[in-house]
Amino acid sequence: MGLRRATAPRRQPTPGRRLRDLLRGRVRWAVTAIVLAAMPAVLVVVLADDGEPTRLTAEYVRTGSWDTGFSAQYIVRNAGDETAHGWTLRFRLPEGGEITSLWNGRSSRDGSHYTIRDQDWNRDLRPGESAVVGFEVRRVDPAAMTSTAQPVECTINGRACEVVGAVGATGDHAAAAGPPTEATGTPPGATPGQGPRSAAPPAPGPARTTPPAGAPQPGAGASTPGPGTGPTGAPATGAPVVTTPVRPYVDLAAPGSYDLAAAIRTTGVTDWILAFVVDGGDCRPTWGGGIRLDDPTVAQRFAELKALGGKAAISFGGAAGTDLAASCASPEALAAAYRQVVDQYQVSRIDLDVEGRSLGRPDIVERRNQALLLLADGISRDGGALEVTYSLPVLPTGLGDDAMALLRDAAKRGVHVDTVNVLARDYGPANAPDPAGRMGRYATDAARAVHGQLRQLWPALTEAQAWQKLSVTPMIGVDDVPGEVFTLDDARELARFANERHLGRLSWWSAARDRPCPTPGATAADPGCSGVLQDPYAFLQAFVQGSREPAATQPPPSRTTESPHGER
């Protein structure tokens, strides 16, 4: 038999103890109710964060360096699946430096910490869209801030900045994503002064990829010697000198006669752009609207160019005349007009100079891009190839909305645009104040800006590939806008910059103006002379010579505005 355990009689709780237990139970239920009520919101936040529908990345890029400072940018990109409504970028600048100017954002400062917020025009970023914030830094204390310093502690909308495949100063790809540190090299390249962001979706896979075989390699910026150069930028022993190709414009329809053959013999330049083919009525291509394609004089000039080993590109459009894209009724008719010119002169390069109403009309833009697809396809089927350049008006802050829309449409349709040539001229006083002595700087500002815009439009481009895709064309001498004079010093500055960055080419308007005017002191643009004191071919020689002499240092851009640019 087992033993029975004795139990004490159960005591009844007192009234005071019952009250205490009741209160404790109510408190526990109240806390539980609060937690349960908050759970749906917590779950939403967690799910939204896991799915990252509006994930923003911020990529830091060094765009230029000089003795007392540098310029840089952050590319804020929506890598998620939903539109991001607003963004805030924060970072700390290392001791010894301060931001002296900033554009495309609203900035505030707390010591060395900077907060950059969106503007009205770049606040909403759809999936794949990006906004570029550019700024200049002055090294107040060079001993404290090294020449390779860069922002740290970067966050975008409160999360650590994610740098997608950034390229270091040596051209090597970053080993891991994450916010930049002071020990990490920064890639030279893209640009201050961005315009409205691009709507082009990012290419599949990483945003920055290793360039294909034969493509330009990263590291072509100011702080990194280019291919074939020694540590100081001088040509390396036994290495070829890297130069930017020069390709002047010749106006075949202009009054008078430019001796193209004599220019080739005198200067040795064999690459030329012959302008402008426009509509002669009923979608009929002509030179300047009145010279037939089979004109004997034009045929003779092409024959001389070919006999001297020269190459020609043909430019369509321009500021005067009627663009074929505006007069031809369909993409098929426009493609046939283009093909007629290509076959007539047996050329493989065309330049589309788009200005005025031809730039701002979406129907004309779409028709032209559709025609380019048809043209390239037809030439390819016949065993040929076609190089396409878009020449577009620009401001020192970059391409305007209409030009970006044109390129965005081309990218969306798959038009292969080999070169984007910016027409660095006719800015106007509101966009280029006090232009005397600054036209070269304004041209390099525009180039930096467009470089970044090209990387937005074609995200798979490396830094170097975007520079290779870019060309700059100033108007030499006295410009159309009073006060704007592009001097020989401006030409040398632009040429050195172009060679330093390895631009695809340099052009200028126009070859016939590369000589002094009969009467000095011109105040208006003359189609037959520059209006400045010079020898014949002086601009051509300045561009060629400057393109072989990389600048030792890169001066800071002249931009001070924070507002978005517009069309001129």
Side-chain angles (χ1 to χ4, degrees), residues 140-154:
V140 180
D141 184 359
M145 171 176 271
T146 65
S147 59
T148 59
Q150 61 184 20
V152 295
E153 301 173 12
C154 174

Side-chain angles (χ1 to χ4, degrees), residues 249 351 389-392 419-423 471-473 505 507:
Y249 278 86
D351 172 79
T389 294
Y390 259 126
S391 293
L392 302 166
T419 305
V420 174
N421 175 44
V422 296
L423 307 177
S471 169
V472 181
T473 298
R505 77 164 194 256
S507 301

Side-chain angles (χ1 to χ4, degrees), residues 285-343:
T286 61
W287 292 101
I291 302 175
R292 294 167 52 94
L293 296 183
D294 59 357
D295 180 85
T297 303
V298 173
Q300 177 63 26
R301 301 179 85 173
F302 271 91
E304 291 175 347
L305 179 62
K306 184 176 180 180
L308 293 170
K311 298 179 181 179
I314 294 180
S315 186
F316 295 83
T322 302
D323 195 315
L324 283 165
S327 59
C328 296
S330 67
E332 291 77 11
L334 179 57
Y338 288 153
R339 184 64 187 264
Q340 182 183 353
V341 178
V342 169
D343 290 347

Side-chain angles (χ1 to χ4, degrees), residues 186-205:
T186 56
T191 168
Q194 296 308 313
R197 74 276 184 208
S198 156

Side-chain angles (χ1 to χ4, degrees), residues 118-213:
D118 55 63
Q119 293 183 311
D120 291 340
W121 57 272
N122 62 8
R123 177 168 299 143
D124 296 333
L125 299 178
R126 295 189 296 271
E129 285 189 332
S130 59
V132 181
V133 177
F135 53 92
E136 296 172 17
V137 174
R138 180 167 66 96
R139 294 169 62 200
V140 180
D141 184 359
M145 171 176 271
T146 65
S147 59
T148 59
Q150 61 184 20
V152 295
E153 301 173 12
C154 174
T155 63
I156 180 69
N157 281 7
R159 301 177 60 176
C161 295
E162 179 181 350
V163 180
V164 184
V167 180
T170 60
D172 297 328
H173 290 269
T181 64
E182 291 191 37
T184 304
T186 56
T191 168
Q194 296 308 313
R197 74 276 184 208
S198 156
R208 304 290 177 260
T209 60
T210 302

Side-chain angles (χ1 to χ4, degrees), residues 91-108:
F91 55 82
R92 179 175 66 82
L93 202 62
E95 295 298 328
E98 65 178 4
I99 292 179
T100 57
S101 63
L102 179 138
W103 46 94
N104 295 353
R106 297 171 292 126
S107 65
S108 60

Side-chain angles (χ1 to χ4, degrees), residues 346-357:
Q346 293 297 296
V347 296
S348 60
R349 302 181 304 194
I350 63 172
D351 172 79
L352 302 164
D353 186 306
V354 185
E355 304 179 53
R357 76 183 185 101

